[in-house]
Amino acid sequence: MPLKRPQRYLLMILSSAAVTWTVLRLMPLTTALWLGLVFVIGALILAVWARHLLMGRVRARRRRWALAIESYQRFEKMLLTQRLSRWLTPVHIGIYTLDGVARTRNLIGEALMELRRPEEAEGWFRAALQRDPLYPVPYTNLGTIVALRGQDAEARRHFQKAVALGFSPVAAERLFQRARQRAHTERSLD
């Protein structure tokens, strides 16, 4: 049975790290240290270049959603306008997608959901899926939005699509149940 996309990407990431580590271990110490220094400098340059993504993540952790959205949108614009943005792949790489624009659009949608703006978030999730239709995370987010509206059957279809694309079935079920419970709580408060 062939590996699903997340398993392939995880294998790719881990094997790259393992090969790099092995090559560095086989080199003379001074050569390995210099090459390691080159990697560290390269990582610092990438971090500075991708500062908008990194600041968006920091702001999201601090629950400063509007500022996070602003940072993510700057990063998305940079990815779409700069020809050398492919070099930023190590900064935004993930096991579900290698497309930085799709991932960033999903992050914007998640921040909008936190701001209780699900209609606007839905547009961002759909835009992420237009970029990468095999990216399962936006499907879980769309399923959450639909479940909050009380449309369980449609929500279940979104979560099943995410699972078919490699998302954890246990995590998908947990997200679905949490969205249903939140929808029930919000309806009972009204």
Side-chain angles (χ1 to χ4, degrees), residues 146-184:
V146 174
L148 290 172
R149 292 180 187 149
Q151 301 166 333
D152 289 352
E154 186 179 345
R156 179 77 63 192
R157 283 192 296 275
H158 284 296
F159 282 106
Q160 288 171 343
K161 177 71 173 175
V163 169
L165 293 173
F167 197 81
S168 164
V170 173
E173 183 63 29
R174 190 177 325 121
L175 289 171
F176 175 67
Q177 294 302 330
R178 190 178 303 148
R180 286 182 67 205
Q181 182 179 13
R182 186 171 143 199
H184 177 71

Short mmCIF file of all heavy atoms in Angstrom, two decimals, residues 146-184:
data_model
loop_
_atom_site.label_atom_id
_atom_site.label_comp_id
_atom_site.label_asym_id
_atom_site.label_seq_id
_atom_site.Cartn_x
_atom_site.Cartn_y
_atom_site.Cartn_z
N VAL A 146 -18.86 24.16 9.34
CA VAL A 146 -20.16 23.58 8.99
C VAL A 146 -20.80 22.93 10.22
O VAL A 146 -22.02 23.05 10.43
CB VAL A 146 -20.00 22.57 7.83
CG1 VAL A 146 -21.29 21.85 7.54
CG2 VAL A 146 -19.51 23.28 6.58
N ALA A 147 -20.01 22.28 11.06
CA ALA A 147 -20.55 21.68 12.28
C ALA A 147 -21.09 22.74 13.22
O ALA A 147 -22.11 22.54 13.88
CB ALA A 147 -19.48 20.84 12.98
N LEU A 148 -20.42 23.88 13.27
CA LEU A 148 -20.91 24.97 14.12
C LEU A 148 -22.24 25.50 13.63
O LEU A 148 -23.02 26.04 14.41
CB LEU A 148 -19.87 26.11 14.17
CG LEU A 148 -18.59 25.80 14.94
CD1 LEU A 148 -17.57 26.92 14.75
CD2 LEU A 148 -18.89 25.58 16.41
N ARG A 149 -22.51 25.33 12.36
CA ARG A 149 -23.81 25.73 11.80
C ARG A 149 -24.88 24.66 12.03
O ARG A 149 -26.03 24.85 11.66
CB ARG A 149 -23.69 25.98 10.30
CG ARG A 149 -22.86 27.18 9.95
CD ARG A 149 -22.77 27.35 8.45
NE ARG A 149 -21.85 28.40 8.11
CZ ARG A 149 -21.11 28.42 7.00
NH1 ARG A 149 -21.22 27.45 6.11
NH2 ARG A 149 -20.30 29.43 6.78
N GLY A 150 -24.46 23.52 12.57
CA GLY A 150 -25.41 22.45 12.85
C GLY A 150 -25.63 21.50 11.69
O GLY A 150 -26.54 20.67 11.72
N GLN A 151 -24.80 21.55 10.68
CA GLN A 151 -24.92 20.68 9.51
C GLN A 151 -23.95 19.51 9.65
O GLN A 151 -22.92 19.45 8.98
CB GLN A 151 -24.66 21.49 8.24
CG GLN A 151 -25.61 22.66 8.07
CD GLN A 151 -25.14 23.64 7.01
OE1 GLN A 151 -23.95 23.76 6.73
NE2 GLN A 151 -26.09 24.35 6.41
N ASP A 152 -24.32 18.57 10.50
CA ASP A 152 -23.41 17.47 10.85
C ASP A 152 -23.04 16.58 9.68
O ASP A 152 -21.89 16.14 9.57
CB ASP A 152 -24.02 16.63 11.97
CG ASP A 152 -24.02 17.36 13.30
OD1 ASP A 152 -23.41 18.44 13.39
OD2 ASP A 152 -24.63 16.83 14.25
N ALA A 153 -23.98 16.29 8.79
CA ALA A 153 -23.68 15.39 7.67
C ALA A 153 -22.63 16.00 6.74
O ALA A 153 -21.68 15.33 6.33
CB ALA A 153 -24.95 15.07 6.90
N GLU A 154 -22.79 17.27 6.43
CA GLU A 154 -21.81 17.94 5.57
C GLU A 154 -20.47 18.07 6.29
O GLU A 154 -19.41 17.89 5.69
CB GLU A 154 -22.32 19.32 5.15
CG GLU A 154 -21.41 19.99 4.14
CD GLU A 154 -21.91 21.35 3.70
OE1 GLU A 154 -23.08 21.69 3.93
OE2 GLU A 154 -21.09 22.09 3.11
N ALA A 155 -20.52 18.36 7.58
CA ALA A 155 -19.28 18.45 8.36
C ALA A 155 -18.55 17.12 8.35
O ALA A 155 -17.33 17.07 8.16
CB ALA A 155 -19.58 18.88 9.79
N ARG A 156 -19.29 16.05 8.52
CA ARG A 156 -18.69 14.71 8.52
C ARG A 156 -17.99 14.44 7.18
O ARG A 156 -16.91 13.85 7.15
CB ARG A 156 -19.78 13.68 8.81
CG ARG A 156 -19.37 12.26 8.82
CD ARG A 156 -18.64 11.78 10.02
NE ARG A 156 -19.40 11.81 11.25
CZ ARG A 156 -18.82 11.63 12.41
NH1 ARG A 156 -17.52 11.40 12.48
NH2 ARG A 156 -19.50 11.68 13.52
N ARG A 157 -18.59 14.89 6.07
CA ARG A 157 -17.96 14.69 4.75
C ARG A 157 -16.62 15.43 4.66
O ARG A 157 -15.65 14.88 4.13
CB ARG A 157 -18.89 15.15 3.63
CG ARG A 157 -20.01 14.18 3.33
CD ARG A 157 -20.74 14.51 2.04
NE ARG A 157 -21.44 15.80 2.10
CZ ARG A 157 -22.66 15.96 2.60
NH1 ARG A 157 -23.33 14.92 3.07
NH2 ARG A 157 -23.22 17.15 2.62
N HIS A 158 -16.56 16.64 5.20
CA HIS A 158 -15.30 17.38 5.18
C HIS A 158 -14.23 16.65 6.01
O HIS A 158 -13.08 16.54 5.58
CB HIS A 158 -15.49 18.80 5.73
CG HIS A 158 -16.16 19.73 4.78
ND1 HIS A 158 -15.61 20.10 3.58
CD2 HIS A 158 -17.33 20.39 4.86
CE1 HIS A 158 -16.41 20.94 2.96
NE2 HIS A 158 -17.48 21.14 3.72
N PHE A 159 -14.62 16.17 7.17
CA PHE A 159 -13.65 15.46 8.02
C PHE A 159 -13.22 14.14 7.37
O PHE A 159 -12.05 13.76 7.45
CB PHE A 159 -14.23 15.22 9.42
CG PHE A 159 -14.18 16.44 10.29
CD1 PHE A 159 -15.34 17.15 10.58
CD2 PHE A 159 -12.99 16.92 10.81
CE1 PHE A 159 -15.32 18.29 11.37
CE2 PHE A 159 -12.95 18.05 11.60
CZ PHE A 159 -14.11 18.74 11.88
N GLN A 160 -14.14 13.45 6.71
CA GLN A 160 -13.78 12.21 6.03
C GLN A 160 -12.81 12.48 4.88
O GLN A 160 -11.89 11.69 4.64
CB GLN A 160 -15.03 11.49 5.54
CG GLN A 160 -15.83 10.87 6.65
CD GLN A 160 -17.20 10.35 6.20
OE1 GLN A 160 -17.69 10.72 5.15
NE2 GLN A 160 -17.78 9.49 7.02
N LYS A 161 -13.02 13.57 4.17
CA LYS A 161 -12.10 13.95 3.10
C LYS A 161 -10.71 14.20 3.67
O LYS A 161 -9.70 13.76 3.10
CB LYS A 161 -12.63 15.21 2.39
CG LYS A 161 -11.74 15.73 1.30
CD LYS A 161 -11.75 14.84 0.08
CE LYS A 161 -10.96 15.52 -1.05
NZ LYS A 161 -10.83 14.68 -2.20
N ALA A 162 -10.63 14.88 4.81
CA ALA A 162 -9.34 15.14 5.45
C ALA A 162 -8.65 13.83 5.83
O ALA A 162 -7.45 13.66 5.61
CB ALA A 162 -9.52 16.03 6.67
N VAL A 163 -9.42 12.90 6.37
CA VAL A 163 -8.86 11.60 6.77
C VAL A 163 -8.38 10.85 5.53
O VAL A 163 -7.31 10.24 5.53
CB VAL A 163 -9.89 10.79 7.58
CG1 VAL A 163 -9.43 9.35 7.76
CG2 VAL A 163 -10.13 11.45 8.93
N ALA A 164 -9.15 10.90 4.45
CA ALA A 164 -8.75 10.23 3.22
C ALA A 164 -7.44 10.80 2.67
O ALA A 164 -6.68 10.08 2.01
CB ALA A 164 -9.86 10.36 2.17
N LEU A 165 -7.17 12.06 2.97
CA LEU A 165 -5.94 12.70 2.51
C LEU A 165 -4.78 12.54 3.49
O LEU A 165 -3.70 13.08 3.27
CB LEU A 165 -6.19 14.19 2.25
CG LEU A 165 -7.11 14.49 1.08
CD1 LEU A 165 -7.44 15.97 1.01
CD2 LEU A 165 -6.49 14.02 -0.23
N GLY A 166 -5.00 11.82 4.59
CA GLY A 166 -3.90 11.51 5.51
C GLY A 166 -3.99 12.14 6.88
O GLY A 166 -3.09 11.96 7.70
N PHE A 167 -5.05 12.88 7.17
CA PHE A 167 -5.21 13.46 8.50
C PHE A 167 -5.57 12.35 9.48
O PHE A 167 -6.24 11.38 9.12
CB PHE A 167 -6.32 14.53 8.46
CG PHE A 167 -6.31 15.46 9.63
CD1 PHE A 167 -5.44 16.54 9.67
CD2 PHE A 167 -7.17 15.28 10.69
CE1 PHE A 167 -5.42 17.41 10.75
CE2 PHE A 167 -7.17 16.14 11.78
CZ PHE A 167 -6.29 17.21 11.80
N SER A 168 -5.16 12.49 10.70
CA SER A 168 -5.41 11.47 11.72
C SER A 168 -6.91 11.28 11.95
O SER A 168 -7.61 12.25 12.26
CB SER A 168 -4.75 11.89 13.04
OG SER A 168 -5.26 11.14 14.11
N PRO A 169 -7.41 10.06 11.83
CA PRO A 169 -8.84 9.82 12.07
C PRO A 169 -9.25 10.15 13.51
O PRO A 169 -10.35 10.66 13.75
CB PRO A 169 -9.05 8.34 11.77
CG PRO A 169 -7.79 7.83 11.22
CD PRO A 169 -6.72 8.86 11.40
N VAL A 170 -8.39 9.89 14.46
CA VAL A 170 -8.69 10.17 15.85
C VAL A 170 -8.79 11.68 16.07
O VAL A 170 -9.73 12.17 16.71
CB VAL A 170 -7.62 9.55 16.78
CG1 VAL A 170 -7.82 9.97 18.22
CG2 VAL A 170 -7.62 8.04 16.65
N ALA A 171 -7.83 12.42 15.53
CA ALA A 171 -7.86 13.88 15.66
C ALA A 171 -9.07 14.47 14.94
O ALA A 171 -9.70 15.40 15.44
CB ALA A 171 -6.57 14.48 15.12
N ALA A 172 -9.41 13.92 13.77
CA ALA A 172 -10.57 14.42 13.02
C ALA A 172 -11.85 14.20 13.82
O ALA A 172 -12.70 15.10 13.90
CB ALA A 172 -10.66 13.72 11.67
N GLU A 173 -11.99 13.04 14.42
CA GLU A 173 -13.20 12.76 15.21
C GLU A 173 -13.25 13.68 16.43
O GLU A 173 -14.31 14.19 16.79
CB GLU A 173 -13.22 11.30 15.65
CG GLU A 173 -14.46 10.90 16.41
CD GLU A 173 -15.75 11.03 15.60
OE1 GLU A 173 -15.72 10.91 14.37
OE2 GLU A 173 -16.81 11.27 16.23
N ARG A 174 -12.11 13.91 17.05
CA ARG A 174 -12.07 14.79 18.21
C ARG A 174 -12.48 16.22 17.81
O ARG A 174 -13.26 16.86 18.51
CB ARG A 174 -10.66 14.79 18.80
CG ARG A 174 -10.57 15.49 20.15
CD ARG A 174 -9.17 15.43 20.79
NE ARG A 174 -8.46 14.20 20.55
CZ ARG A 174 -7.26 14.12 19.94
NH1 ARG A 174 -6.65 15.21 19.53
NH2 ARG A 174 -6.68 12.96 19.77
N LEU A 175 -11.96 16.71 16.69
CA LEU A 175 -12.32 18.05 16.22
C LEU A 175 -13.81 18.14 15.87
O LEU A 175 -14.47 19.13 16.18
CB LEU A 175 -11.49 18.43 14.99
CG LEU A 175 -10.01 18.72 15.24
CD1 LEU A 175 -9.28 18.85 13.91
CD2 LEU A 175 -9.85 19.97 16.07
N PHE A 176 -14.34 17.09 15.25
CA PHE A 176 -15.75 17.06 14.90
C PHE A 176 -16.63 17.11 16.15
O PHE A 176 -17.58 17.90 16.24
CB PHE A 176 -16.07 15.81 14.07
CG PHE A 176 -17.52 15.63 13.76
CD1 PHE A 176 -18.18 16.52 12.91
CD2 PHE A 176 -18.23 14.58 14.31
CE1 PHE A 176 -19.53 16.35 12.62
CE2 PHE A 176 -19.57 14.40 14.02
CZ PHE A 176 -20.22 15.29 13.18
N GLN A 177 -16.30 16.29 17.13
CA GLN A 177 -17.09 16.26 18.37
C GLN A 177 -16.99 17.59 19.13
O GLN A 177 -17.98 18.07 19.68
CB GLN A 177 -16.65 15.10 19.27
CG GLN A 177 -16.95 13.73 18.70
CD GLN A 177 -18.42 13.52 18.41
OE1 GLN A 177 -19.31 14.07 19.06
NE2 GLN A 177 -18.70 12.72 17.39
N ARG A 178 -15.80 18.18 19.13
CA ARG A 178 -15.63 19.47 19.81
C ARG A 178 -16.47 20.55 19.12
O ARG A 178 -17.09 21.38 19.79
CB ARG A 178 -14.15 19.86 19.80
CG ARG A 178 -13.85 21.07 20.67
CD ARG A 178 -12.38 21.41 20.69
NE ARG A 178 -11.58 20.29 21.13
CZ ARG A 178 -10.34 20.05 20.71
NH1 ARG A 178 -9.75 20.87 19.85
NH2 ARG A 178 -9.67 19.01 21.15
N ALA A 179 -16.51 20.55 17.79
CA ALA A 179 -17.31 21.54 17.06
C ALA A 179 -18.80 21.33 17.32
O ALA A 179 -19.54 22.29 17.51
CB ALA A 179 -17.00 21.46 15.57
N ARG A 180 -19.23 20.07 17.33
CA ARG A 180 -20.65 19.78 17.62
C ARG A 180 -21.02 20.24 19.02
O ARG A 180 -22.08 20.82 19.23
CB ARG A 180 -20.92 18.28 17.47
CG ARG A 180 -20.97 17.82 16.03
CD ARG A 180 -21.28 16.37 15.93
NE ARG A 180 -22.64 16.15 16.39
CZ ARG A 180 -23.08 15.01 16.88
NH1 ARG A 180 -22.28 13.97 16.96
NH2 ARG A 180 -24.32 14.87 17.28
N GLN A 181 -20.15 19.98 19.98
CA GLN A 181 -20.42 20.38 21.36
C GLN A 181 -20.47 21.90 21.47
O GLN A 181 -21.35 22.45 22.13
CB GLN A 181 -19.33 19.82 22.28
CG GLN A 181 -19.56 20.13 23.74
CD GLN A 181 -18.46 19.54 24.61
OE1 GLN A 181 -17.42 19.11 24.11
NE2 GLN A 181 -18.71 19.50 25.90
N ARG A 182 -19.54 22.57 20.81
CA ARG A 182 -19.55 24.04 20.84
C ARG A 182 -20.81 24.60 20.19
O ARG A 182 -21.41 25.55 20.70
CB ARG A 182 -18.31 24.56 20.12
CG ARG A 182 -18.15 26.05 20.22
CD ARG A 182 -16.81 26.48 19.67
NE ARG A 182 -16.94 27.74 18.97
CZ ARG A 182 -16.10 28.21 18.10
NH1 ARG A 182 -15.02 27.53 17.81
NH2 ARG A 182 -16.30 29.37 17.52
N ALA A 183 -21.25 24.00 19.08
CA ALA A 183 -22.47 24.45 18.41
C ALA A 183 -23.68 24.24 19.33
O ALA A 183 -24.55 25.12 19.42
CB ALA A 183 -22.66 23.69 17.10
N HIS A 184 -23.73 23.11 20.01
CA HIS A 184 -24.83 22.82 20.92
C HIS A 184 -24.84 23.83 22.07
O HIS A 184 -25.90 24.34 22.46
CB HIS A 184 -24.71 21.38 21.45
CG HIS A 184 -25.78 21.04 22.44
ND1 HIS A 184 -27.09 20.87 22.08
CD2 HIS A 184 -25.71 20.85 23.79
CE1 HIS A 184 -27.80 20.57 23.18
NE2 HIS A 184 -26.97 20.55 24.21
#
